[in-house]
C-alpha cells in the first residue's frame, strides 16, 4: 500500500524544497507537529434557554490547539427535547456518511466531479516538518517522499467530536435592559432625515449598560469518533475512488461507496459544568461569556479524552532549549506541577517514523503557561508565558523538535 | 535618626524586592486545595484556598468557601475573604458582592458595592448591579430595579430612581426614564414613563416629565443648512401639510435607545404625548424656547422665528414677542433662510418667498423646490425658473426643465424636446445646450449624449471622453482616466483609457462596475448570462468567474482567494462551497435526518 501511495505522490505531487526550509520556519512549524485532525459538531437542544447564543458562539470557537481543523460545512444539528441521544448521534454519523466526507476532505475531493488531490495530505505532512524532520529528511534515502507519506499517515488520526450541550444553567440575565431595549415611542428624532444609523455615528458612549450574564454554566457531553482508515478503506479509496482528474465513473463509485467508510465510536466525556468567571468579558459583549464557557468545556473534554485514550493524546514538540526547555502546552492541557513528560526522538525505520524515549522532563511550577481560552483577557497568571518551561529529570541534551508526551 | 530611617527604608525596599522576586504561582494539591509555590515547587503559602489566582502587583485573589478576598505575597489577608465576587482593581476600587446565594455554581441575588484597596467600603454593598466607571468617571448603579449614576467620589450624579438610563453622549448628556414598565410583548422596551435629560454634573437639562423626547437631527446636511430647521426636504412639507388633516401624524422617527444619542447640538423637543404632538422645544442647553402644549407642532427656530402649527394653520412664532406673525397663517411654510422663508398661503394656492417683515418677496409660483446652492428652482405655468435665496429672479420661469443642483451645476432644457445644457446657481448658462441628453454631474463630470453616442464633459464643458459610446459607466472620481464604455460593435462594456485613447484590454463584459469601488484592484463584471457576476483585475483577467448573484459574495470570494498561495485560481467547486456557506438551510438540520447532500462540502 505504501508503494502505491508513493506512486500517487510521485505522479501528482509537485516537489517541495524542504531542504530550503529555514530553521525558524521549521521551529514555527514544529508547533503543528504530528497533529491529529478534528471535525467538531454541535448537537443543539432547541428547547434550551440560550440555544441561539450557544450556536452562534460555538460557530466562533476555533478547533482546539494542536489539532488540524477538519471541519465540514455542516456544524450544527438540532434536537428539540431532552433525552438520551447516544444512538441517534451514532445513527446521524452513519446515515450522513460523515466518514466518507472526512476522507473526501483529506483529498480535497471535488464533490462536483470527483477530482482529488494530495495537497492537504502533503501540506499537513510538511507542517510536520520540524527541524528534526528536516534533519531526518536530509539523511533519509526517501527524503521528501517520506515526509509526505508521514502526512498520509495522519489520516488515521482523524476524529469527530459530537458536542451535545446537555445542561445549561439557569443563570439570570441582568435586568439592565434599559440600554439594549428602548422606550416604546419615547425617544425620538425629529426633523429632516434623522435616522438610527446617523444617530449611531453621533454616539460617543462612555458607559453603556447592557444585558449581561451573571456567570454561565454549561455542561457539554463530547462523544469521540475516530475515522477508520485501515487497509481496506485505503485500498478501496486508492483503487476505486481516487481520481487525479475529473472522472465520472469514480465520482459515481465514491458516491455509491460512501457507506463503506466508517467512524468508530471511541467514548465520551462530560464536562464538570463549573462556573465560568466573567473576568475578561467585555461588558458590551456579554455573549462572549457563552463562548468562553463552551470553549472551556470543550477544551476540558478534549483533555479528558486525551487522558482516557492514549492515541488521542497530542505529542508536543520542544520549541526551544535556550532558556529552559520550552513547549507550548499548559493549563488547557491539564498541566500541573506534578506532571511528567517523556521526551521522544523521532527516528526513521523502514520508511516509517518511530519514537525513542530519550529522557523525562517536568514543568517548573511557576512557569506553567495558562493557555486556557481567554486566560489573557482575564489577566490570569502565566497567560503571557507563551509556553511552559520544563526542567530535565533524566536524559541527555535535548534540542528543538524532540517531542513531549505526558506519562 | 536620619541614617536609621535610611537604613530602615533600604531594608524595607530590599525586603519588598525580595518578596516580589519570589515569583509565586498558584498550585493545587491532591486534595484540591490551592496554595502558592516558588520556582522550586516549594509551598510558600499553605494549601488552604478553594481557588487562587496569580499575584498581580503583589496581591492574589483567593477563595474560601463561597467567598473571595485578596492576600499579599506573605499570605496575609489584605482584603477580607468575605465577598462572593470581586472584580479586578481598577486603580480606584474593587467592585464587590455579598449576600447572594450560589445555585449550581452561579451567584444569584447578590448585592454589589465598591471597596478600596484595603477592603474599606466606599459604597455599601446594597445594589443589584454596579457598572464599570466610564472614561467620564461615572458608573451606573441599580438598586431595587432603579438606576442612577455615581461619580468617583461615590456621589450620585443621577439619582438612583429611574426605570432606565441611557449612555452618556459626546456632550456629556444622558437620558433617564422614570416610571413605566416593560412591554409584555417586547420586554426590552419600556412603555409609559417620563423622560428627561441630565448632564455629567448632575444638572437637569430637560425636566423628567415628558412622554416623548428627542432631538432635531440634521446631520446629513451642510453647515449652512444645519443652522436652519425644517426647511429642506419637500417630503417634510408634505408631511406637515398632511398635519392639517391628521394632526397626530408628524414627521418623527422612532429609534431604539441603543442608537439614540440625545445629542442636543440642535436642541430638543419634548411632549406630554408619546407621538410628540403638542411638543415643546428647548435649545441645546435645555433653555425652553417653546412650551409644550401651546402648539400642535413646533419646530426648532431659525432667525428667532419658529414654524408652528396652530388651529391647523402654519404660522411663525416670534420667540421674543411670543406672537404669531402671520395674521391668517399659512397652509404650509418652511423656516427662514438668509432672511426669507417659503410659504404656501392656502391649500391649492401657489408658493412664494416672504421676508422677516412678512411681506411678499416674490410673486406666487406654482411650486418652489427646496433650497439648494443658495437658490430655489421655481415653477410657473410658463415653465421653470431660478430665484436667489432673497427672491431675486435669476432665470425667468420660461425653461422647460431645470434639474437638481449637483456639483453646483443644474441641467436645463429650453424646450421639452430641446437639447440639454447646464446652468450654475447665478443662472448663468455655463455649458451650452448642445447635448441630446445629459446626466447630472457626479464627481465634477457629467455624461452627455450627442446623437446616439455618450461621452463625458467636466464642469467647464470641456470634453473628457469623446461621445462615441452606447453607454458610459459610473464616474467615481474627479480625476478618473478610465471609463467603462459600451461598444456599438459588440454591445459589450470595455474599459477605455483617456490617456492612451484606447481600450485597456481586449475583452468586454455585459456589465461592469468601476474598479476599486467594491474590491481594491478589481472590478465587478457581469458575464454572458444576465445577472451572473464575477470580478476581473486591472489587466482584464478574470479573478472570480461570473458565477454569483450578489456583489457581497464576489467580494467574499475575492477575499478568500487572496488568502491562498500566489498563483491559486478560483474553481467551480470554490463557488459551490461558498454558496453552500450562505445556504439558509445550513446548520438547520435535525439529528434524526439524513441531510440533503447539497449541504455537505465533501
Amino acid at each position: 500500500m505504501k508503494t502505491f501511495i508513493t506512486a500517487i505522490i510521485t505522479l501528482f505531487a509537485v516537489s517541495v524544497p524542504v531542504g530550503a526550509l529555514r530553521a525558524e520556519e521549521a521551529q514555527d512549524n514544529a508547533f503543528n507537529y504530528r497533529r491529529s485532525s478534528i471535525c467538531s459538531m454541535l448537537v443543539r437542544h432547541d428547547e434550551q434557554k440560550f440555544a441561539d447564543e450557544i450556536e452562534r458562539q460555538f460557530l466562533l470557537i476555533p478547533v482546539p490547539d494542536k489539532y488540524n481543523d477538519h471541519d465540514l460545512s455542516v456544524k450544527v444539528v438540532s434536537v428539540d427535547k431532552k433525552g438520551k441521544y447516544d444512538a441517534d448521534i451514532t445513527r446521524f454519523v452513519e446515515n450522513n456518511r460523515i466518514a466518507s466526507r472526512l476522507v473526501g476532505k483529506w483529498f480535497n475531493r471535488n464533490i462536483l466531479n470527483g477530482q482529488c488531490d494530495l495537497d492537504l495530505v502533503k501540506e499537513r505532512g510538511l507542517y510536520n516538518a520540524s527541524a528534526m524532520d528536516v534533519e531526518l529528511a536530509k539523511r533519509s534515502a526517501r527524503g521528501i517522499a517520506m515526509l509526505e507519506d508521514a502526512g498520509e499517515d495522519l489520516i488515521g488520526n482523524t476524529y469527530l467530536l459530537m458536542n451535545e450541550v446537555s445542561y445549561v444553567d439557569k443563570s439570570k440575565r441582568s435586568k439592565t435592559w434599559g440600554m439594549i431595549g428602548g422606550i416604546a415611542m419615547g425617544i425620538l428624532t425629529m426633523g429632516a432625515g434623522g435616522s438610527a444609523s446617523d444617530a449611531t455615528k453621533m454616539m460617543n458612549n462612555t458607559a453603556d449598560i447592557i444585558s449581561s450574564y451573571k456567570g454561565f454554566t454549561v455542561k457539554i457531553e463530547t462523544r469521540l469518533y475516530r475515522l477508520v482508515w485501515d487497509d481496506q478503506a485505503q485500498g478501496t479509496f486508492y483503487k476505486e475512488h481516487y481520481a487525479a482528474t475529473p472522472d465520472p465513473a469514480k465520482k459515481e463509485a465514491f458516491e455509491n461507496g460512501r457507506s463503506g467508510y466508517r467512524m468508530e465510536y471511541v467514548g465520551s466525556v462530560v464536562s464538570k459544568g463549573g462556573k465560568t468567571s466573567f473576568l475578561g468579558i467585555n461588558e458590551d459583549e456579554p455573549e462572549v461569556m457563552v463562548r468562553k464557557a463552551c470553549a472551556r468545556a470543550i477544551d476540558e473534554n478534549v483533555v479528558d479524552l486525551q487522558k482516557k485514550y492514549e492515541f488521542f493524546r497530542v505529542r508536543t514538540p520542544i520549541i526551544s532549549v535556550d532558556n529552559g526547555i520550552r513547549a507550548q502546552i499548559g493549563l488547557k492541557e491539564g498541566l500541573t506541577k506534578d506532571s511528567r513528560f517523556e521526551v521522544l526522538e523521532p527516528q526513521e525505520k523502514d520508511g516509517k517514523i518511530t519514537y525513542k524515549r530519550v529522557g523525562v522532563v517536568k514543568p517548573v511550577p511557576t512557569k506553567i503557561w495558562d493557555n486556557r481560552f481567554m486566560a489573557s483577557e482575564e489577566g490570569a497568571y502565566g497567560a503571557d508565558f507563551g509556553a511552559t518551561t520544563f526542567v530535565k529529570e533524566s536524559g541527555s541534551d535535548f534540542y528543538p523538535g524532540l517531542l513531549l508526551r505526558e506519562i | 535618626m536620619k541614617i536609621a530611617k535610611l537604613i530602615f527604608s533600604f531594608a524595607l525596599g530590599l525586603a519588598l524586592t525580595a518578596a516580589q522576586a519570589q515569583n509565586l504561582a498558584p498550585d493545587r494539591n491532591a486534595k484540591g486545595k490551592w496554595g502558592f509555590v516558588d520556582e522550586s515547587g516549594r509551598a510558600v503559602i499553605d494549601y488552604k484556598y478553594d481557588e487562587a489566582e496569580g499575584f498581580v502587583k503583589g496581591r492574589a485573589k483567593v477563595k474560601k468557601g463561597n467567598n473571595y478576598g485578596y492576600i499579599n505575597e506573605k499570605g496575609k489577608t489584605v482584603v477580607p475573604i468575605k465577598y462572593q465576587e470581586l472584580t479586578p482593581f481598577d486603580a480606584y476600587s474593587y467592585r464587590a458582592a455579598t449576600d447572594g446565594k450560589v445555585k449550581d455554581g452561579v451567584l444569584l441575588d447578590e448585592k454589589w458595592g465598591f471597596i478600596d484597596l484595603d477592603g474599606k467600603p466606599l459604597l455599601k454593598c446594597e445594589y443589584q448591579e454596579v457598572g464599570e466607571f466610564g472614561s467620564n468617571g461615572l458608573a451606573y448603579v441599580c438598586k431595587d430595579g432603579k438606576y442612577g449614576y455615581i461619580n468617583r467620589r461615590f456621589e450620585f450624579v443621577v439619582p438612583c430612581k429611574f426605570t432606565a438610563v441611557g449612555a452618556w453622549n459626546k456632550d456629556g448628556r444622558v437620558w433617564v426614564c422614570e416610571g413605566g414598565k416593560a412591554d409584555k410583548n417586547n420586554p426590552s422596551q419600556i412603555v409609559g414613563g417620563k423622560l428627561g435629560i441630565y448632564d455629567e454634573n448632575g444638572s437637569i437639562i430637560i425636566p423628567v416629565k415628558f412622554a416623548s423626547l428627542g432631538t432635531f437631527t440634521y446631520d446629513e446636511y451642510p453647515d449652512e443648512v444645519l443652522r436652519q430647521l425644517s426647511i429642506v426636504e419637500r417630503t417634510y412639507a408634505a408631511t406637515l401639510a398632511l398635519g392639517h388633516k391628521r394632526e397626530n401624524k408628524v414627521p418623527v422617527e422612532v429609534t431604539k435607545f441603543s442608537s439614540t444619542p440625545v445629542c442636543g447640538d440642535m436642541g430638543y423637543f419634548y411632549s406630554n404625548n408619546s407621538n410628540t404632538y403638542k411638543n415643546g422645544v428647548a435649545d441645546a442647553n435645555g433653555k425652553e424656547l417653546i412650551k409644550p402644549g401651546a402648539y400642535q407642532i413646533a419646530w426648532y427656530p431659525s432667525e428667532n422665528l419658529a414654524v408652528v402649527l396652530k388651529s391647523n394653520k402654519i404660522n411663525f412664532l416670534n420667540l421674543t414677542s411670543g406672537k404669531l406673525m402671520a395674521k391668517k397663517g399659512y397652509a404650509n411654510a418652511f423656516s427662514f433662510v438668509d432672511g426669507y422663508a417659503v410659504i404656501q398661503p392656502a391649500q391649492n394656492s401657489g408658493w412664494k418667498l416672504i421676508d422677516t417683515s412678512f411681506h411678499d418677496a416674490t410673486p406666487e409660483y406654482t411650486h418652489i423646490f427646496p433650497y439648494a446652492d443658495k437658490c430655489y428652482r421655481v415653477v410657473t405655468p410658463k415653465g421653470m425658473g431660478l430665484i436667489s435665496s432673497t427672491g431675486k429672479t435669476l432665470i425667468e420661469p420660461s425653461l422647460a426643465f431645470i434639474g437638481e443642483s449637483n456639483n453646483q451645476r443644474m441641467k436645463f432644457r429650453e424646450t421639452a424636446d430641446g437639447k440639454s445644457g447646464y446652468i450654475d446657481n447665478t443662472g448663468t448658462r455655463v455649458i451650452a445646450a448642445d447635448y441630446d441628453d445629459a446626466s447630472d454631474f457626479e464627481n465634477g463630470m457629467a455624461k452627455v449624449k450627442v446623437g446616439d453616442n455618450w461621452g463625458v464633459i467636466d464642469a467647464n464643458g470641456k470634453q473628457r471622453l469623446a461621445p462615441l459610446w452606447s453607454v458610459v459607466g459610473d464616474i467615481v472620481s474627479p480625476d478618473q482616466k478610465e471609463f467603462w464604455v459600451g461598444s456599438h460593435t459588440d454591445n459589450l462594456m470595455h474599459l477605455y483609457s483617456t490617456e492612451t485613447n484606447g481600450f485597456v484590454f481586449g475583452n468586454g463584459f455585459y456589465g461592469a462596475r468601476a474598479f476599486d469601488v467594491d474590491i481594491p484592484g478589481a472590478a465587478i463584471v457581469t458575464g454572458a448570462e444576465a445577472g451572473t457576476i464575477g470580478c476581473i483585475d486591472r489587466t482584464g483577467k478574470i479573478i472570480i468567474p461570473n458565477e454569483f448573484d450578489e456583489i457581497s459574495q464576489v467580494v467574499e470570494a475575492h477575499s478568500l482567494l487572496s488568502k491562498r498561495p500566489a498563483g491559486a485560481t478560483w474553481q467551480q467547486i470554490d463557488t459551490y462551497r461558498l454558496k453552500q456557506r450562505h445556504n439558509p438551510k445550513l446548520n438547520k438540520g435535525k439529528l434524526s435526518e439524513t441531510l440533503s447532500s447539497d449541504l455537505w462540502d465533501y
Side-chain angles (χ1 to χ4, degrees), chain B residues 482-496:
Chain B
E482 293 176 348
F483 299 86
W484 284 104
V485 296
S487 162
H488 289 291
T489 309
D490 59 10
N491 289 323
L492 295 176
M493 298 288 284
H494 295 266
L495 191 65
Y496 187 87

Side-chain angles (χ1 to χ4, degrees), chain A residues 196-369:
Chain A
S197 59
D198 293 334
T200 304
K201 291 176 200 163
M202 299 161 69
M203 285 186 78
N204 183 19
N205 292 344
T206 56
D208 274 339
I209 302 169
I210 47 147
S211 174
S212 61
Y213 301 89
K214 288 296 192 183
F216 192 81
T217 303
V218 62
K219 274 188 182 175
I220 296 180
E221 180 170 7
T222 301
R223 294 170 177 82
L224 179 68
Y225 295 81
R226 184 180 191 177
L227 175 67
V228 177
W229 189 242
D230 54 15
D231 282 353
Q232 186 185 350
Q234 293 180 45
T236 304
F237 182 76
Y238 291 123
K239 282 181 185 170
E240 299 172 19
H241 298 158
Y242 186 93
T245 55
D247 186 330
K250 286 194 171 179
K251 173 181 180 291
E252 189 179 350
F254 184 88
E255 293 301 335
N256 293 334
R258 279 186 184 273
S259 61
Y261 298 99
R262 292 184 301 112
M263 300 299 293
E264 174 183 56
Y265 177 68
V266 176
S268 73
V269 290
V270 181
S271 61
K272 296 180 187 69
K275 176 193 169 189
T276 304
S277 161
F278 59 77
L279 286 178
I281 303 294
N282 192 335
E283 286 197 351
D284 60 9
E285 290 183 295
E287 240 184 67
V288 175
M289 171 66 87
V290 179
R291 195 187 321 167
K292 185 177 174 183
C294 292
R296 286 197 172 179
I298 292 171
D299 285 342
E300 180 187 324
N301 286 355
V302 168
V303 169
D304 287 348
L305 287 167
Q306 286 179 14
K307 286 177 181 167
K308 278 176 87 170
Y309 307 106
E310 187 181 332
F311 54 79
F312 190 56
R313 211 171 282 171
V314 292
R315 280 166 288 204
T316 309
I318 292 172
I319 58 168
S320 74
V321 293
D322 296 338
N323 295 303
I325 301 158
R326 284 164 58 80
Q328 287 176 310
I329 189 169
L331 289 185
K332 192 166 98 172
E333 288 79 16
L335 232 70
T336 72
K337 77 178 192 340
D338 300 319
S339 302
R340 294 289 181 278
F341 288 81
E342 59 182 342
V343 183
L344 303 171
E345 184 176 52
Q347 297 185 329
E348 185 209 355
K349 189 176 182 182
D350 300 329
K352 287 196 172 183
I353 294 174
T354 59
Y355 300 93
K356 179 188 172 188
R357 181 164 163 168
V358 294
V360 173
V361 296
K362 66 175 185 178
V364 177
T366 55
K367 293 183 178 174
I368 296 174
W369 180 30

Side-chain angles (χ1 to χ4, degrees), chain A residues 121-157:
Chain A
V121 177
K122 284 194 299 170
E123 182 185 307
R124 289 187 180 168
L126 291 171
Y127 270 145
N128 293 338
S130 66
M132 181 65 199
D133 287 312
V134 174
E135 290 304 312
L136 276 173
K138 282 177 182 170
R139 294 198 297 267
S140 167
R142 298 187 58 212
I144 294 165
M146 183 200 73
L147 288 174
E148 290 171 342
D149 281 7
E152 199 278 341
D153 282 343
L154 296 176
I155 298 173
N157 285 320

Side-chain angles (χ1 to χ4, degrees), chain A residues 73 75 176 181-183 190 194, chain B residues 129 188 190 253 257 269 587 599:
Chain A
S73 52
K75 289 277 292 172
T176 51
I183 295 178
M190 176 175 177
Chain B
E129 296 170 30
S188 66
I190 306 168
E253 186 176 336
F257 271 12
F269 65 86
N587 292 331
L599 294 175

Side-chain angles (χ1 to χ4, degrees), chain A residues 41 43-44 46 55 59 71-80 85 88-89 91-92 95-96 98 100-102 104-113 162 167 169-172 174-210 212 214-217 254 258 273-275 277-279 281-283 336-338 362 364-367 378-381 385, chain B residues 23-27 37-41 47 53-56 61 85 87-88 95 103-110 112 128-129 131-132 134-136 138 140 147 149 163-170 175 177 182 187-192 195 211-221 233 236 251-261 263 269 274-276 279 297-299 572-573 576-577 580 586-591 593-595 599-602:
Chain A
M41 293 180 69
V43 179
R44 169 193 156 120
D46 290 344
E55 178 180 333
L59 293 173
D71 277 345
L72 298 172
S73 52
V74 176
K75 289 277 292 172
V76 182
V77 286
S78 304
V79 293
D80 54 14
Y85 288 101
D88 302 76
I89 290 172
R91 202 174 303 121
F92 174 84
N95 290 347
N96 284 279
I98 289 179
S100 71
R101 302 183 194 287
L102 296 176
K105 178 150 186 170
W106 267 109
F107 294 93
N108 193 27
R109 182 179 175 277
N110 185 324
I111 203 168
L112 301 177
N113 61 22
M162 294 295 287
Y167 170 75
D169 178 71
K170 296 174 184 138
S171 58
K172 78 171 182 180
S174 162
K175 287 183 180 174
T176 51
W177 35 264
M179 284 310 299
I180 59 161
I183 295 178
M185 297 296 289
I187 294 289
L188 312 163
T189 57
M190 176 175 177
S195 69
S197 59
D198 293 334
T200 304
K201 291 176 200 163
M202 299 161 69
M203 285 186 78
N204 183 19
N205 292 344
T206 56
D208 274 339
I209 302 169
I210 47 147
S212 61
K214 288 296 192 183
F216 192 81
T217 303
F254 184 88
R258 279 186 184 273
K275 176 193 169 189
S277 161
F278 59 77
L279 286 178
I281 303 294
N282 192 335
E283 286 197 351
T336 72
K337 77 178 192 340
D338 300 319
K362 66 175 185 178
V364 177
T366 55
K367 293 183 178 174
E378 283 187 8
Y381 177 84
F385 288 175
Chain B
N23 197 12
L24 304 179
D27 184 55
V37 296
D38 64 15
E39 289 197 8
S40 68
Y47 293 89
E53 294 177 6
F55 278 93
V56 177
K61 184 178 173 182
E85 193 52 272
T87 66
R95 286 185 283 170
K103 187 183 175 189
D104 296 326
V106 174
L107 182 62
L108 302 172
D109 301 328
E110 76 282 13
W112 288 86
Q128 285 168 279
E129 296 170 30
E132 284 180 288
S135 58
N136 62 350
L138 302 175
Y140 80 89
Y147 290 85
Y149 275 97
T163 314
V165 291
W168 294 96
N169 72 5
K170 64 184 174 60
W175 58 258
C177 176
S188 66
Q189 287 199 327
I190 306 168
V191 289
L195 296 160
S212 62
L213 172 67
T215 58
F216 294 96
T217 58
Y218 295 87
D219 54 319
E220 64 188 62
Y221 293 96
E233 290 287 348
Y236 282 86
V252 296
E253 186 176 336
V254 179
T255 58
K256 294 271 189 180
F257 271 12
S258 57
S259 57
T260 305
C263 180
F269 65 86
S274 60
N275 58 9
T276 75
N279 67 292
I297 307 170
W299 271 262
Q572 188 185 15
I573 187 68
Y576 175 85
R577 289 173 185 157
Q580 197 171 51
L586 189 69
N587 292 331
K588 301 296 179 199
K590 297 290 182 187
L591 186 68
E593 294 174 346
T594 299
L595 304 181
L599 294 175
W600 294 101
D601 48 356
Y602 288 97

